[in-house]
Amino acid sequence: MSPPQKSGRAAPDDASAPPPHSTSSSPELPMDGPDEPTRVPLAVEDWATVVIMALLACITFANVLVRYFTDSSFAWTEEFSVFLMILLAMVAGSAAVARDRNIRIEYFSEAGSMTRRRRLAQFGALMVALLFFLMAALSLRVVWDDYRFEETSPGIGVPQWWYSVWLPIVSTAIALRAVGLFVRRGREAHRVEGDQQ
């Protein structure tokens, strides 16, 4: 049992220790802490996430109540909930790309000099942008086919393009967020290289 401290405040274990994942020679990539400033506010994805989650909660709660009191359920809820969950994953992916918090292997991404790390972050952002621009372009054909052939959803029979049109839209948003990240990392790399010279 440790003796009580004389002052009312707890002393830190080691006040001189640097914060986790930081080096004394160079600043840290902004993966933790406040969001970086972006041209399009990150509140767009944040509010879209809130709205989608609220819709999912309301639909699920209404379905539970109807099933409890009537022994039946809304037929449209499963199809619409699946669509909202997919949309939620893509919107959250856009926010993760904008905040540079996508999945990475830290052994490679956190090793080496700050310039190397920023260049690797730029390469990752470029690959994400290429992937999602390609997805947006290819999914436009899917949307056009759904519209042209008047495809309907299997559950409730609404036009299928009501769902599929969101794939190229959100894919383009993710790609543009990746382009913005690529540009920000490039500016930071140039600034760091200029400071070293």
Side-chain angles (χ1 to χ4, degrees):
M1 189 177 224
S2 61
Q5 295 183 1
K6 293 181 180 178
S7 64
R9 298 172 58 190
D13 292 338
D14 188 2
S16 63
H21 301 295
S22 70
T23 60
S24 58
S25 61
S26 60
E28 178 62 37
L29 282 171
M31 289 185 61
D32 296 326
D35 293 329
E36 296 177 76
T38 57
R39 184 166 297 196
V40 178
L42 290 169
V44 173
E45 282 93 344
D46 293 342
W47 277 107
T49 301
V50 169
V51 170
I52 294 169
M53 290 290 289
L55 283 172
L56 276 169
C58 290
I59 290 169
T60 304
F61 182 67
N63 198 23
V64 167
L65 287 180
V66 169
R67 186 176 295 177
Y68 180 77
F69 288 112
T70 66
D71 280 341
S72 63
S73 63
F74 293 136
W76 54 271
T77 55
E78 183 177 354
E79 180 177 297
F80 199 61
S81 295
V82 169
F83 160 71
L84 286 176
M85 284 188 279
I86 293 170
L87 186 61
L88 177 64
M90 295 196 72
V91 169
S94 178
V97 168
R99 291 181 167 104
D100 195 18
R101 293 183 182 157
N102 49 340
I103 296 173
R104 68 192 81 214
I105 301 173
E106 290 185 359
Y107 178 81
F108 297 108
S109 67
E110 306 258 337
S113 67
M114 185 56 64
T115 302
R116 176 191 175 279
R117 293 164 67 182
R118 291 189 191 282
R119 294 297 183 198
L120 194 58
Q122 275 191 292
F123 176 74
L126 182 63
M127 293 297 103
V128 170
L130 289 175
L131 171 67
F132 281 97
F133 275 133
L134 181 64
M135 280 182 61
L138 294 175
S139 61
L140 279 174
R141 179 62 186 267
V142 173
V143 176
W144 173 243
D145 286 345
D146 286 345
Y147 178 78
R148 182 176 53 163
F149 296 117
E150 299 180 354
E151 294 284 337
T152 57
S153 65
I156 55 177
V158 299
Q160 184 69 32
W161 68 269
W162 289 6
Y163 299 136
S164 58
V165 73
W166 291 98
L167 182 59
I169 292 172
V170 183
S171 294
T172 302
I174 294 173
L176 291 175
R177 286 295 195 187
V179 169
L181 179 64
F182 177 83
V183 171
R184 289 198 310 272
R185 291 295 175 262
R187 288 177 185 159
E188 290 167 2
H190 287 306
R191 190 178 67 242
V192 170
E193 289 169 1
D195 291 342
Q196 290 175 350
Q197 291 175 354

